[in-house]
């Protein structure tokens, strides 16, 4: 299971200098090439995961299916993401490659 520290910042219009300072000090770096991220999130009928996130609970869990760029022959993953305070743990399981969204939907059903 991979883990990392995640910090989120809120900026207001006019905070461009603060953002530039964070970039200059090296707090942000590019880890991946430009890509399109596609996700399908799973939740309870009461939207518990959504509300845990909105309410800022320090311990929460979410489940998603994710692939990058176009679906055509892309590897698709099922991910379990747990957050405990500022540390995020993610476990990925490959679901395989799919030729189109319809074939993925059929698999997920």
């Amino acid at each position: 299971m991979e883990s990392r520290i995640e910090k989120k910042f809120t900026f207001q219009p006019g905070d461009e200098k603060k953002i530039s300072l964070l970039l200059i000090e090296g707090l942000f770096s590019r880890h991946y090439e430009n890509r399109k991220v596609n996700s399908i999130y799973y939740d309870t009928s009461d939207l518990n995961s959504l509300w845990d996130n909105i309410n800022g609970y320090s311990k929460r869990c979410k489940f998603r299916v994710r692939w990058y760029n176009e679906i055509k022959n892309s590897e698709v993953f099922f991910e379990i993401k747990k957050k405990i305070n500022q540390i995020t743990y993610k476990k990925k399981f490959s679901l395989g490659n799919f030729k189109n969204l319809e074939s993925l939907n059929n698999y997920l059903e």
Side-chain angles (χ1 to χ4, degrees):
M1 181 177 292
E2 57 185 88
S3 66
R4 65 180 177 206
I5 295 174
E6 289 185 0
K7 293 190 177 208
K8 295 188 179 182
F9 300 90
T10 302
F11 295 101
Q12 302 296 321
D15 285 347
E16 289 82 9
K17 286 186 178 183
K18 291 179 186 176
I19 296 169
S20 296
L21 182 62
L22 290 172
L23 292 172
I24 290 169
E25 291 184 1
L27 293 178
F28 297 102
S29 61
R30 183 177 299 275
H31 290 278
Y32 303 100
E33 72 284 349
N34 287 344
R35 59 191 179 165
K36 181 179 174 186
V37 179
N38 304 276
S39 301
I40 301 170
Y41 286 88
Y42 291 88
D43 205 339
T44 66
S45 59
D46 292 332
L47 302 177
N48 290 335
S49 292
L50 172 67
W51 287 112
D52 287 353
N53 185 28
I54 290 171
N55 291 321
Y57 293 146
S58 60
K59 287 179 93 175
R60 57 186 186 260
C61 188
K62 60 183 162 184
F63 305 92
R64 68 183 174 208
V65 172
R66 178 169 275 187
W67 69 95
Y68 302 95
N69 299 316
E70 300 305 318
I71 188 77
K72 185 177 181 182
N73 297 319
S74 290
E75 187 170 15
V76 177
F77 299 93
F78 178 75
E79 298 179 353
I80 301 170
K81 194 170 178 184
K82 293 181 180 182
K83 182 158 183 143
I84 302 171
N85 298 318
Q86 291 182 349
I87 300 177
T88 300
Y89 301 92
K90 183 168 64 171
K91 196 164 191 171
K92 291 169 61 169
F93 304 92
S94 176
L95 300 178
N97 291 45
F98 296 85
K99 63 182 180 179
N100 55 37
L101 196 52
E102 182 181 358
S103 64
L104 174 60
N105 285 333
N106 289 337
Y107 177 85
L108 294 176
E109 284 179 11

